[in-house]
Amino acid sequence: MEQFVTGLEDLLNQLATAQDSETIRNATSILNTQFYVSADCIPALVEIISRSPQHTVRQLAAVELRKRISKKWQDIPDVTQAAIRGQLLQIALNEQHEIVRHSTARVISSIARIDVPENKWPELLGFLNQACNSPTVIHREVGTYCLYALFEVIADFFMDHTAPLYDLFSKSIVDIESKRVRVTTVLTLGKLAEFIENEDKENIKSFRIMIPGMVNVLEQCLKEGDEESSSEIFEVFDTLLMLDAPLLSNHLVDLIRFFLTVGSNRNLDDSLRVMALSFLMWAAVYKQNKIRSLKLVGFIVESLMPIGTEEDPEDVDDDSPSRLAFKVLNALATNMPPQQVFPIIMPIVVAYMQNPDPNYRKAAMMSFAVIIEGCAEYMSPKLNELLPLVCSGLQDGEIIVRRAACMALGCLAEEMPAEISESHQVLLPLVFNLMNDTNPEVTKHACNALDAILESLGDEVLQYLPMLMEKLLFLLDNAPQTETKATVMAAIGSAAHAAGEGFEPYFSSVMPRIRHLMTLKESTDEALLRGVATDSAGAIAEAVGAEKFQPFTQDLMALAIEQLSLDSPRLRECSYAFFSIIARVFGEEFAPYLPTIMPFIIASCKAEEKDETNFSNEIDLTLGEGDDEDDENAFNFNSAIADEKEFAADALGEIFESTQSHFLPYVEQAVQELTELSFHLFDGVRKAVVGSLFSFLKTFYTMSNAEEWKAGLPVNYPVHENVQNMTTVILPTVLSMWKDEDDKMVVVQICQELIHSLKLMGPSIIADHVEEISRNVLEIFEKRSICQQSYDDDDFVDEEEEAESESLLIGAAGDLIATICETVGESYSSYFDVFMPLIAKYYKKSKTASERSMAIGCLGECITGIKSAVTPHTERLLQLFIKACADEDSSVRSNAAYALGILTCNSQIDLSPQYPVILTALHPLFQNQPMPNIIDNAAGAVARLILAHPESVPFDQVLPAFVSVLPLKADFAENEPVFNCLFTLFRANNPFIHSQVPHLLSIFYHVLSNEDQLNDSTRSELIELLRALNAQQPSLGISNSELAHFL
């Protein structure tokens, strides 16, 4: 045995002092083949830890020993095991080097993991107790560290005896002689916290008592500038935030104040301040209800703003206090109601913009930029007041301010594309000016903002295109930074997307440049350019169309296929997006590429996600057989590969939709892969899965050439067998995703996909699932769905104000109910009875305009579907809709007008006694309205009132206003009731209508000349009316007018 120990010690000596990889490789190979195969290595390594004079060798032996325990410990005879256990406890107490003590403690915990559950090490508790209470400092340090290491492996054992532990911790957390004991106590408390159950009142109470002591230890470490201990304790507090048990609640106000003080303290090292601010960012996510109920939002915002005025480091990837302050603001804006964030930040932004110090102006623009994501809906009506702020930032004399203003503009364009593109005449000249900026960073951000604005500009881009393309091509050829070139290339793609066929004049100068960029592959920078060029090639193909793009297709497809093998997830992602677009542009002509690209797409769906990071915090030179303990921590998630999977999953649906029958050989495997990915960790992948699964369903439906569906259940129209089979696979998959989904935007997408599919395919797809879908939606309205559970539900929160993501979710749920009413029809009325009050409560003054609009619009659409089944709710809805006609928001008024008309013609209660009130509510909507839909819907409502009870309408007052707003300007669906009303009035020989015939003829010509304004039956009835008028009154001269060819 001695020879074995000596041989092993020699090899470890070689490893600990090795200078070259060859020595390491040889020694490792001998260790693995001659020593570690035998259980004797365990006592031998213990012997080396106890006797080697070199602490590096002792440390290495301890690390190696820990890795062998799980495999070889059971092979050691009981007597030897007992001796080793005793020997290790002695080594831990006597070792002088802390790192060796720690590694030995980890060996003890590895053995305890196996022996304690079998009651084989009764002495261990006594040892811990004695060591932790010893008068010798090193013994106390060893005891607390062993306890910490043991908590990682046998926490359950300790959780049965927590009372004595809290007694011990209350002493050790104030250990006068040793900071190490104090810090280790905090770390152990952090481990213990992870095992406290939500209902365990006793443990929660005892733990809360420890928190002030934990903060004191952190404060001492910060004062001494001890970065390592501080960062370990910060991590403990981050963990406590994320746990289910409410351990921090009572102390949250004090903790937030403390962490804000640390984050604001410019005398501390930046890295420490960043950690303190990081805690606040997680608090905004995990303690949002508590922060709201304690009314802390304003206090946090006001404390963060000055931190944002500090200078940022050069490297954009480096964290700094100012950058973290903006991240916290973003977390507050996206998790809190906008009413609690926006009104507090904006006065500070306005004041900072007046400050002569450019750092304040930068902070103003940056904080404005980061809150847009969570406050967009709320900001939208105020945009005209806000844009001048951004414009002044774009023209600021200081680079840092211009750069921040570009970011703010980019965020606005991304979150409010329609509103921003309306201001193109003001914004684009400013952005063009910044593209000439001397600072490449500003140029890059200007191009980013430009890219976002162009995305939604449409035809308006054409007036700028000559100047824009000249600038972009110059920058593409001459910009010094790769990132700027990439942004320019993206902006060219967006310009093509907006211009459509109008991009053709630039096609021949842009395509050779794109082709060149798509051949680059030498460096990361080149790969970035290649990827963006691939994206832009797709945008251009879609803009100019198949015929114009054809000459480049084969060449660029070959390059996009080549980059699938370049070992870059990002480039594969770009290729899949490119394939999707080319398939869309060329349709079935894309089919010959399927055998080449499909194996790659399927392989990406299956790709293993190994994280690249290497965790090495101990000296460990050998690559022995792995250690089971560490395997549990190998949490496989790699965001680059997750993005690649998202694009691969997306491409499956797009390509099937475009190539149809040619894709059939791949359908089964594709659906199987999508189903496998439906519970992926990354929400982007899950969204792509939902999109593609529904794409498959809709494509089978399109291929089946189905006849029009009919409303009502049971299904009363033929459904093709393939569509039925696909429905039985896809709906259960999607519904099981929905049940466990914790991301609101994935649930929003499920609702939206169901809406599109129902409108296309009718109720057959939900025939077997009406109950389950309705239950899921009910949970959303009652705030019980998993994606609405915030991490601190124990706190009461005023539901009048909600984060914007919540409003989006409620809106999608409401739209889904309306669509089910429309497709299932009157038989859905018992569900409507449940949903009606839940939807109606979103119409009140305290709700945002979009929530009020959703409520009224949704109820109107529901009535369209359930028809006379609305009768029991008539009185309540009538009052609601009349009130909403006077709402300050235009879309609410528009929806209310529609809903009033629909209610009147569907309810079985005779509403004619209420006509004076209804008409009084509708009358103001016939003039001076900001959007034409309001007037169109008011006209449609009056038409429905006349159709329902013509005898109750004062024609002399109503008809002049009614005829004066024709023809309708925007909502052409309302032409159906409007013209049915006119036909009825003609048949009744209404004198006013007959007096208006010359005026009405021009309206008739207008609607008949525009294809999209009338449905077929209204169109043919109008032509019949014209023929009758022509026969009855030749003096009108219809047969000689421009209406003649309709006769």
Side-chain angles (χ1 to χ4, degrees), residues 991-1025:
F992 177 79
I993 287 296
H994 276 286
S995 73
Q996 293 294 307
V997 168
H999 171 59
L1000 288 170
L1001 289 178
S1002 65
I1003 294 169
F1004 296 168
Y1005 176 71
H1006 177 85
V1007 296
L1008 287 169
S1009 308
N1010 291 297
E1011 286 296 310
D1012 57 347
Q1013 298 211 359
L1014 300 176
N1015 64 29
D1016 292 346
S1017 66
T1018 308
R1019 191 181 186 84
S1020 48
E1021 197 167 344
L1022 179 54
I1023 291 169
E1024 285 307 310
L1025 172 64

Side-chain angles (χ1 to χ4, degrees), residues 394-416:
L394 293 170
Q395 297 167 84
D396 198 280
E398 295 286 338
I399 280 172
I400 52 171
V401 185
R402 296 199 297 277
R403 188 170 66 191
C406 283
M407 290 173 79
L409 181 56
C411 295
L412 281 171
E414 213 156 290
E415 296 292 329
M416 312 182 208

Side-chain angles (χ1 to χ4, degrees), residues 271-285:
S271 61
L272 298 172
R273 299 173 61 200
V274 162
M275 288 184 250
L277 293 166
S278 177
F279 171 87
L280 296 167
M281 180 175 75
W282 293 119
V285 177

Side-chain angles (χ1 to χ4, degrees), residues 224-238:
E224 293 168 22
D226 177 352
E227 199 172 323
E228 191 183 344
S229 302
S230 300
S231 76
E232 289 176 319
I233 298 175
F234 276 124
E235 220 166 279
V236 169
F237 278 105
D238 285 351

Side-chain angles (χ1 to χ4, degrees), residues 13-236:
N13 261 315
Q14 283 179 39
L15 278 174
T17 55
Q19 300 294 317
D20 63 305
S21 53
E22 191 54 33
T23 309
I24 294 175
R25 221 184 348 265
N26 290 338
T28 304
S29 165
I30 299 170
L31 283 171
N32 287 336
T33 53
Q34 294 175 29
F35 289 88
Y36 294 158
V37 286
S38 156
D40 286 345
C41 69
I42 303 262
L45 286 164
V46 175
E47 186 58 30
I48 293 166
I49 303 171
S50 70
R51 77 180 195 193
S52 170
Q54 305 297 330
H55 77 88
T56 49
V57 174
R58 300 199 298 278
Q59 150 71 355
L60 186 53
V63 171
E64 289 298 297
L65 174 57
R66 180 170 68 101
K67 289 158 81 181
R68 313 292 147 222
I69 294 290
S70 57
K71 303 269 195 313
K72 300 277 188 258
W73 181 248
Q74 310 284 30
D75 304 344
I76 306 277
D78 286 357
V79 183
T80 315
Q81 281 188 353
I84 288 174
R85 286 194 289 259
Q87 199 175 353
L88 284 168
L89 297 179
Q90 277 321 112
I91 291 172
L93 290 177
N94 299 332
E95 172 60 54
Q96 293 305 301
H97 278 81
E98 186 179 65
I99 189 165
V100 185
R101 289 202 295 274
H102 285 183
S103 294
T104 309
R106 291 201 176 276
V107 175
I108 291 169
S109 73
S110 295
I111 295 174
R113 172 189 243 174
I114 300 167
D115 285 359
V116 168
E118 295 180 20
N119 280 329
K120 281 191 180 173
W121 201 349
E123 307 85 2
L124 182 61
L125 265 188
F127 163 80
L128 289 171
N129 197 20
Q130 212 174 340
C132 290
N133 290 303
S134 162
T136 311
V137 170
I138 283 191
H139 292 185
R140 294 201 300 279
E141 287 181 6
V142 169
T144 47
Y145 193 83
C146 281
L147 200 50
Y148 171 63
L150 285 162
F151 242 102
E152 294 185 328
V153 294
I154 50 164
D156 300 349
F157 171 77
F158 290 114
M159 292 311 287
D160 299 335
H161 317 91
T162 51
L165 280 178
Y166 286 118
D167 287 344
L168 170 66
F169 293 151
S170 61
K171 295 196 211 73
S172 61
I173 204 163
V174 290
D175 190 304
I176 294 168
E177 288 180 275
S178 169
K179 180 171 75 176
R180 177 43 58 202
V181 171
R182 299 195 296 272
V183 170
T184 308
T185 302
V186 176
L187 302 186
T188 312
L189 279 163
K191 287 282 170 219
L192 181 149
E194 293 176 32
F195 297 92
I196 298 179
E197 298 290 333
N198 220 343
E199 296 73 41
D200 186 348
K201 297 279 181 279
E202 240 351 87
N203 255 318
I204 291 173
K205 189 177 158 196
S206 303
F207 193 93
R208 284 175 174 173
I209 295 168
M210 302 303 302
I211 287 174
M214 295 166 74
V215 174
N216 289 340
V217 177
L218 174 57
E219 206 168 358
Q220 289 156 4
C221 294
L222 290 168
K223 270 193 189 126
E224 293 168 22
D226 177 352
E227 199 172 323
E228 191 183 344
S229 302
S230 300
S231 76
E232 289 176 319
I233 298 175
F234 276 124
E235 220 166 279
V236 169

